[in-house]
Amino acid sequence: LYDPDFLGQEAWALLKKRQFKEAREKARGAMALTDPWQKLLGRNALCAIESEAEEREAAVKACQEALDATRKRDQEEANKKPEERIASSFAVDAYNHSGALFSMLRFQEGEALLREATAHREFTIANPWRMLAELYLDEGRGQDATSALRDMQAWRQRNPASLRDQDRALTDGTVALFLLVAGEPVVGSKLVTRAIDLPDRHGLTSSNPEATIGAHALLGRAMLRMHAERLREEASVYGTIPRIARELEAISERIRAWSEEERTKSAVTDGNILESTFRVRLAGGLYPMPPWMIGDLIDIVGTGISAASLRRAREAEKVPKFTSYYDAIEGEIAWRNGNESEAVRLGELALKTLPKEEVLLGARIRAYLAESARKQGDAPKALSRYEEMMQTDPGLVRRLGISIPVQLDIASKDPVSDRARTVLNRSPRLRVVEANGFTVSFARLGDGAKACIETQAKVQLTCVQSARYHGMGPKKNLDESDSDLASRTVDDLHKRAFSGKFGLTDEELKLFDGSQSLAQRAQRDAVKKVVE
């Protein structure tokens, strides 16, 4: 009785049922209609269909055609009166096309398109800043990622409330990824818990809800395990009773991580999610799930299942340039199996052809290359790889629960230096060796202390400086003891040396962990504009 037929909507429904062949037919039927909305919806659906069907090249083509059609329509609409214009969908189409470009490792083109999309003010959950933040994080561009996160929140803030809550869990996941690299597990855990307890509805996206929950569970596990390692670092600098308390708390965090492991396992057993995740940068895998976190997934599902899934992924892949990713994953499987020689062979092979944009993945490869070389007894080679990793992603040391070789440079014999020597020797992150190690220096500095880590080439990686606290205790008449000064300085060295340096403010952390809601900030900014 009514025209036009809702072919575009039918295509989306079939897509949700994973009936890709029938969905394509409906999408192309919608594109053949004369109705402008059906044409737009058909192109949008075909882009999503090819992405979800894991057809990399077809997705790029379909998404490019949808974007080109939107550009053309926007030019035509610009000649009309404002009240007669059809709202643009440029940001949506640019977001989708960028995702397709990234699936083909065309990073620079995707970034340029997203930057263009940020200039289009549309009410949509296709937030270009979110994808840019994830890209910058993968590329190790910490300051750019920090800036993109701020703009991502501002984009959401300008959306109406109905849309603002549509992608909260997805946004929380992106922020949590950032906090994982930044070394902020407490705030990150809150975000991941909220994302799992209050998942997004997926009516406006083509993604799989189970895959998103699985990715958030994997993130949650990583946060809990990282927090456990941070507690072990704190325990190493304290006296007996506080040390035992923190060790017990670390064990508790690892036990809590088991439930997230089970949730992740449950998600990846659904369909081909595990295989799609190993194929990297495909819509059908866990999301958000960057390539540099796949090693955590191997640790959960086991090396046998991972090897079988990786083998199927290699067979299904049609684009040769992804070989370096599969070599990297297979190298980590070999490392976890204790096959150091194979891990070194595959890791070195992967590094030769890995895209330069995959900075954090490259750091992970160097981490297991360093560990493999150490177990093989090649200390100089291990140190070289440790240095490369530390200059790129120092937080990996804590996230993997490993340690780096160090030589202590503590010339003084005073009580502060003696205490520092003791706690440094029992650090879970620093493994004291006689040669082929980083240099960890500790020295008295007036009424304080200074500790640094530098490479053999005298490149300073981290330095912390502490002044003695005065006026401590219930009566505010005590000074910090020599032992406490040394312990606090070493603990600060731990915290700073093995965390990303992204410059987050306390206000931003409050916004991220929910202490200050986005709605409150939007309301506050609206009042501020009126006052101005």
Side-chain angles (χ1 to χ4, degrees):
L1 294 176
Y2 297 95
D3 287 319
D5 294 336
F6 284 180
L7 298 181
Q9 288 88 333
E10 286 189 66
W12 268 93
L14 290 165
L15 162 63
K16 289 289 188 177
K17 294 174 68 178
R18 320 298 289 178
Q19 296 178 12
F20 299 125
K21 181 180 179 181
E22 295 85 350
R24 288 187 185 96
E25 293 175 356
K26 294 293 183 180
R28 292 189 177 106
M31 292 162 58
L33 297 175
T34 56
D35 182 75
W37 172 244
Q38 281 297 317
K39 283 181 175 291
L40 182 151
L41 197 55
R43 292 189 182 94
N44 177 267
L46 189 60
C47 169
I49 291 163
E50 300 299 358
S51 298
E52 291 295 326
E54 302 177 359
E55 296 291 342
R56 299 184 194 267
E57 294 177 339
V60 170
K61 182 175 182 294
C63 296
Q64 178 70 67
E65 290 176 352
L67 180 65
D68 291 343
T70 296
R71 286 186 188 276
K72 182 179 178 181
R73 192 193 67 223
D74 287 352
Q75 292 174 354
E76 294 171 350
E77 294 295 317
N79 298 322
K80 296 181 181 179
K81 296 179 181 179
E83 63 272 14
E84 296 177 351
R85 292 174 189 168
I86 299 174
S88 175
S89 63
F90 181 86
V92 174
D93 291 314
Y95 184 94
N96 293 338
H97 187 39
S98 296
L101 289 171
F102 292 154
S103 77
M104 287 292 290
L105 309 184
R106 293 162 62 177
F107 298 106
Q108 293 183 0
E109 294 175 65
E111 179 184 354
L113 188 55
L114 287 170
R115 298 291 303 187
E116 183 182 358
T118 61
H120 288 250
R121 182 55 261 176
E122 298 172 25
F123 295 136
T124 173
I125 64 170
N127 190 331
W129 289 113
R130 180 172 57 235
M131 195 175 286
L132 281 170
E134 294 170 0
L135 174 67
Y136 294 152
L137 189 61
D138 293 347
E139 294 180 347
R141 297 160 60 181
Q143 296 302 324
D144 288 338
T146 303
S147 178
L149 283 178
R150 297 183 183 122
D151 289 321
M152 175 187 72
Q153 297 288 16
W155 179 286
R156 284 191 66 228
Q157 180 181 320
R158 289 194 295 266
N159 274 339
S162 58
L163 283 179
R164 202 179 302 143
D165 283 340
Q166 282 280 347
D167 65 340
R168 181 173 60 183
L170 190 57
T171 300
D172 283 348
T174 299
V175 177
L177 275 175
F178 175 87
L179 295 178
L180 182 69
V181 180
E184 295 285 352
V186 176
V187 179
S189 290
K190 291 181 181 179
L191 287 173
V192 174
T193 300
R194 184 170 72 183
I196 292 173
D197 291 344
L198 300 169
D200 294 332
R201 290 181 293 168
H202 285 251
L204 295 181
T205 65
S206 60
S207 56
N208 184 337
E210 288 74 20
T212 302
I213 290 176
H216 289 159
L218 184 65
L219 254 177
R221 175 199 184 257
M223 291 290 183
L224 292 168
R225 289 171 67 90
M226 180 169 66
H227 190 214
E229 292 298 325
R230 176 69 188 117
L231 289 167
R232 289 184 61 218
E233 295 167 14
E234 292 179 359
S236 70
V237 305
Y238 285 107
T240 304
I241 295 178
R243 189 190 320 156
I244 293 173
R246 278 167 174 76
E247 289 285 6
L248 290 174
E249 190 178 351
I251 293 172
S252 174
E253 292 293 84
R254 284 188 170 274
I255 292 173
R256 288 179 58 201
W258 289 348
S259 64
E260 302 300 347
E261 288 187 11
E262 293 304 313
R263 202 193 304 259
T264 305
K265 287 179 184 177
S266 176
V268 296
T269 55
D270 180 34
N272 295 321
I273 290 179
L274 182 59
E275 180 183 323
S276 297
T277 302
F278 282 143
R279 287 186 63 189
V280 306
R281 302 200 176 278
L282 282 179
L286 297 181
Y287 181 77
M289 178 66 186
W292 49 268
M293 275 200 72
I294 290 179
D296 289 30
L297 188 58
I298 295 170
D299 195 30
I300 291 176
V301 302
T303 56
I305 292 175
S306 297
S309 295
L310 180 61
R311 185 167 56 253
R312 291 195 297 271
R314 281 187 185 270
E315 293 170 354
E317 187 57 68
K318 302 173 184 176
V319 183
K321 66 176 80 174
F322 283 88
T323 301
S324 58
Y325 290 87
Y326 302 140
D327 288 341
I329 297 169
E330 191 173 352
E332 178 146 353
I333 292 172
W335 170 58
R336 292 185 180 276
N337 277 333
N339 189 348
E340 282 80 26
S341 59
E342 186 68 0
V344 169
R345 185 186 72 83
L346 288 164
E348 296 288 358
L349 194 62
L351 286 178
K352 290 179 180 178
T353 54
L354 192 72
K356 60 181 177 60
E357 290 85 0
E358 296 288 7
V359 172
L360 293 197
L361 176 58
R364 180 140 191 158
I365 296 171
R366 290 174 172 87
Y368 73 68
L369 284 175
E371 286 289 286
S372 297
R374 176 182 66 83
K375 291 179 181 178
Q376 289 179 321
D378 191 347
K381 183 65 174 179
L383 178 61
S384 174
R385 289 306 189 188
Y386 281 128
E387 288 183 353
E388 292 169 355
M389 175 198 64
M390 284 291 292
Q391 294 185 46
T392 304
D393 184 10
L396 256 178
V397 180
R398 181 181 294 142
R399 301 203 302 272
L400 291 177
I402 60 178
S403 59
I404 60 172
V406 300
Q407 297 166 258
L408 300 184
D409 179 14
I410 308 176
S412 303
K413 296 293 184 181
D414 58 273
V416 176
S417 299
D418 290 344
R419 175 61 179 173
R421 187 179 291 105
T422 299
V423 296
L424 284 168
N425 270 287
R426 67 189 188 202
S427 165
R429 300 283 83 84
L430 307 173
R431 185 175 69 258
V432 180
V433 296
E434 294 182 357
N436 295 305
F438 295 84
T439 299
V440 174
S441 59
F442 185 93
R444 290 294 303 274
L445 199 66
D447 197 24
K450 181 179 180 180
C452 299
I453 299 179
E454 61 182 30
T455 69
Q456 282 196 325
K458 304 301 181 183
V459 175
Q460 192 175 91
L461 299 178
T462 306
C463 244
V464 296
Q465 189 171 322
S466 305
R468 190 188 300 271
Y469 288 154
H470 294 283
M472 300 174 63
K475 297 182 180 180
K476 305 295 182 183
N477 59 355
L478 298 176
D479 289 341
E480 186 177 31
S481 68
D482 289 342
S483 177
D484 288 344
L485 173 61
S487 296
R488 181 166 58 84
T489 304
V490 172
D491 192 47
D492 286 347
L493 183 69
H494 278 140
K495 185 174 182 180
R496 188 174 300 180
F498 304 109
S499 301
K501 302 167 183 64
F502 295 153
L504 281 176
T505 65
D506 290 338
E507 183 181 356
E508 284 165 332
L509 285 174
K510 288 180 181 179
L511 177 62
F512 292 156
D513 73 5
S515 300
Q516 182 186 117
S517 73
L518 202 64
Q520 289 172 328
R521 174 171 281 200
Q523 188 178 45
R524 184 190 65 192
D525 287 355
V527 171
K528 182 180 177 181
K529 287 181 180 179
V530 171
V531 171
E532 290 173 347

